[in-house]
């Protein structure tokens, strides 16, 4: 073999190895396509973060002081958790505890427009303090906060969103690596029977408000004074 042919053979082998390395690198770094579903996911707040529930909402009974979360999104192998933190004090801090009941902080995140069903627009993420019986399940807690659409045992709609479909399969989903946190809109507590004491106006022992008495006296004096001056004018004229 001549020196020239040897050089050409070595260069060909190197080129082949480089090409093979390039293909291997591309194959290793290319993100595989993933199919997923559009659905409401069920979560619990634990140790400062959301965790996908290991039980269905109709089988899980959260303890007093727990934080429950629901998130609508297109998801696959990686769960799409609520975008707001599970802050019990922010949601239930102003709701007094009641004997024989438990307080559960409920977070409902309808997700982003990109995750929405065609024709629907997601609302704001909301936090609601639910005061309920100690044995209430996650499903009962969600239903206490608003209407829930159930189809074939699946939670398909929460508070009217989405208006249609249930667990649709989505091809070649694109799940963002990170999501921007949102601020919860805290609504009124539900299920609470504790109400603040109503203020009442001051009154005498007979229950008649002093304000009414004072107004009546002023009116009488004005009328009497008007009649007095009117009589003097008539006397002077005559």
């Amino acid at each position: 073999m001549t020196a020239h042919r040897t050089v050409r053979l070595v260069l060909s082998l190197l080129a082949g190895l480089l090409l093979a390395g390039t293909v291997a690198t591309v194959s290793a770094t290319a993100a595989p396509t993933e199919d997923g579903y559009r659905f409401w996911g069920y979560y619990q707040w634990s140790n400062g973060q959301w965790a996908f529930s290991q039980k269905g909402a109709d089988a899980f009974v959260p303890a007093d002081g727990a934080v429950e979360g629901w998130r609508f999104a297109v998801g696959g192998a990686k769960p799409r958790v609520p975008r707001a933190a599970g802050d019990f004090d922010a949601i239930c801090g102003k709701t007094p505890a009641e004997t024989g009941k438990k307080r559960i902080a409920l977070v409902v995140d309808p997700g982003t427009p990109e995750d929405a069903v065609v024709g629907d627009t997601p609302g704001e993420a909301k936090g609601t303090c639910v005061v309920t019986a100690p044995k209430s399940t996650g499903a009962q807690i969600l239903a206490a906060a608003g209407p829930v659409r159930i189809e074939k045992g699946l939670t398909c709609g929460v508070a009217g969103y989405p208006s249609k479909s249930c667990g649709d399969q989505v091809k070649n989903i694109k799940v963002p690596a990170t999501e921007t946190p949102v601020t919860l809109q805290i609504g009124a507590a539900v299920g609470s029977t504790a109400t603040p004491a109503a203020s009442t106006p001051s009154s005498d022992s007979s229950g008649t408000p002093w304000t009414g008495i004072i107004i009546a006296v002023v009116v009488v004096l004005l009328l009497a004074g008007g009649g007095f001056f009117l009589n003097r004018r008539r006397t002077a004229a005559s």
Side-chain angles (χ1 to χ4, degrees):
M1 182 180 295
T2 63
H4 181 67
R5 291 185 61 188
T6 301
V7 171
R8 289 183 60 185
L9 179 60
V10 170
L11 290 176
S12 297
L13 290 172
L14 288 174
L17 290 173
L18 288 174
L19 179 59
T22 302
V23 172
T25 302
V26 171
S27 299
T29 58
T33 58
E34 181 184 5
D35 295 340
Y37 295 87
R38 183 181 284 111
F39 66 101
W40 279 101
Y42 176 47
Y43 304 87
Q44 279 92 40
W45 183 257
S46 177
N47 298 322
Q49 61 184 355
W50 290 109
F52 191 79
S53 180
Q54 299 303 306
K55 292 184 178 181
D58 58 348
F60 183 74
V61 179
D64 179 43
V67 183
E68 297 271 276
W70 292 82
R71 166 72 191 276
F72 186 78
V74 173
K78 182 180 179 182
R80 303 279 299 282
V81 303
R83 294 169 296 163
D87 191 335
F88 181 86
D89 290 336
I91 300 172
C92 286
K94 296 182 180 179
T95 303
E98 298 182 38
T99 303
K101 294 186 178 182
K102 65 182 178 183
R103 291 178 300 167
I104 304 296
L106 177 66
V107 174
V108 176
D109 182 3
T112 67
E114 291 76 18
D115 294 323
V117 177
V118 176
D120 283 351
T121 302
E124 296 178 308
K126 295 183 178 181
T128 305
C129 187
V130 179
V131 183
T132 184
K135 293 185 178 180
S136 293
T137 65
Q140 292 170 327
I141 291 165
L142 180 65
V148 179
R149 177 167 57 91
I150 303 293
E151 295 181 13
K152 297 180 180 180
L154 298 177
T155 300
C156 301
V158 177
Y161 182 83
S163 62
K164 54 186 179 294
S165 77
C166 186
D168 297 342
Q169 187 174 16
V170 182
K171 297 288 186 179
N172 301 324
I173 65 173
K174 296 180 180 179
V175 177
T178 59
E179 295 192 273
T180 303
V182 297
T183 301
L184 285 178
Q185 300 299 312
I186 309 297
V190 298
S192 176
T193 58
T195 55
S199 59
T200 56
S202 300
S203 62
D204 62 3
S205 58
S206 62
T208 304
W210 281 108
T211 304
I213 295 175
I214 294 173
I215 293 175
V217 171
V218 171
V219 171
V220 171
L221 290 175
L222 288 175
L223 291 175
F228 173 75
F229 287 112
L230 181 59
N231 287 335
R232 288 194 61 183
R233 291 182 61 185
R234 288 177 177 175
T235 302
S238 61

